[in-house]
Amino acid sequence: MENQQKNRREKNIFLRFESNFKFNAENHCWEWFGPKDRNGYGVFFIKKEKGKTRRGFSHRVSYELYRHKIPEGLLACHICDNPKCVNPDHIFLGTHKENTMDMIKKGRSRNARGEDAGHSKLSAKQVLEMRKLKTGGIGGPTYLNLAKAYGISKNSAFLIINRKSWIHI
């Protein structure tokens, strides 16, 4: 009886999982359209015994459903570099270092600066405006006034004006 319940539960997981992706004939990815995290990776919830729910990244769940269990300490890495992809043929196992080296080899590594940094509140144009305003000499805006005007901290304004941040422009 317990075996039947387990088989039914596993079949239900497969059906739920497969109802959350579509095959993309162009790139052969199985693209996840279910819930995603802020980086675009699919998220899949598996209800375990005793009412506990386990959350997993959909590409990891796919690998475990269609291939085998992922050993502790290894990542499920994408050959296709598509975070929505759950095609197990597009996933390989690797360490964090191997995943990083793969990223570098494919030219996807860069140190984001300025506007390209995800947390940036300013554009390059705004930074140049701030510097121009501050170099106006005595009577110009204070760091605090600039910070308020541009929605940043006083410390950030100081670092920008004195070329301690945004040093690339």
Side-chain angles (χ1 to χ4, degrees), residues 32 35 41-46 54-61:
W32 188 260
Y41 289 93
V43 177
F44 188 71
F45 297 89
I46 300 173
R54 187 183 118 214
R55 172 188 178 264
F57 287 113
S58 57
H59 62 289
R60 289 181 65 85
V61 173

Side-chain angles (χ1 to χ4, degrees), residues 78-94:
H78 285 95
I79 291 168
C80 58
D81 297 330
N82 178 359
K84 296 185 295 185
C85 182
V86 296
N87 183 341
D89 292 337
H90 290 192
I91 299 168
F92 67 96
L93 299 181

Side-chain angles (χ1 to χ4, degrees), residues 14 16 18 48 108 113 140-141:
F14 268 101
R16 266 192 325 110
E18 290 181 342
K48 298 293 234 174
R108 292 186 301 105
R113 299 186 310 184

Side-chain angles (χ1 to χ4, degrees), residues 39-116:
N39 297 314
Y41 289 93
V43 177
F44 188 71
F45 297 89
I46 300 173
K47 193 164 192 161
K48 298 293 234 174
E49 298 87 35
K50 298 178 185 171
K52 295 196 183 223
T53 302
R54 187 183 118 214
R55 172 188 178 264
F57 287 113
S58 57
H59 62 289
R60 289 181 65 85
V61 173
S62 176
Y63 192 89
E64 290 193 350
L65 286 174
Y66 297 100
R67 296 281 186 252
H68 50 79
K69 188 166 175 32
I70 299 172
E72 195 168 324
L74 290 183
L75 305 175
C77 311
H78 285 95
I79 291 168
C80 58
D81 297 330
N82 178 359
K84 296 185 295 185
C85 182
V86 296
N87 183 341
D89 292 337
H90 290 192
I91 299 168
F92 67 96
L93 299 181
T95 63
H96 180 71
K97 183 178 181 178
E98 289 166 335
N99 194 32
T100 302
M101 295 309 293
D102 179 61
M103 176 185 68
I104 292 168
K105 183 176 77 180
K106 291 175 179 174
R108 292 186 301 105
S109 168
R110 67 181 190 143
N111 293 327
R113 299 186 310 184
E115 294 172 72
D116 294 334

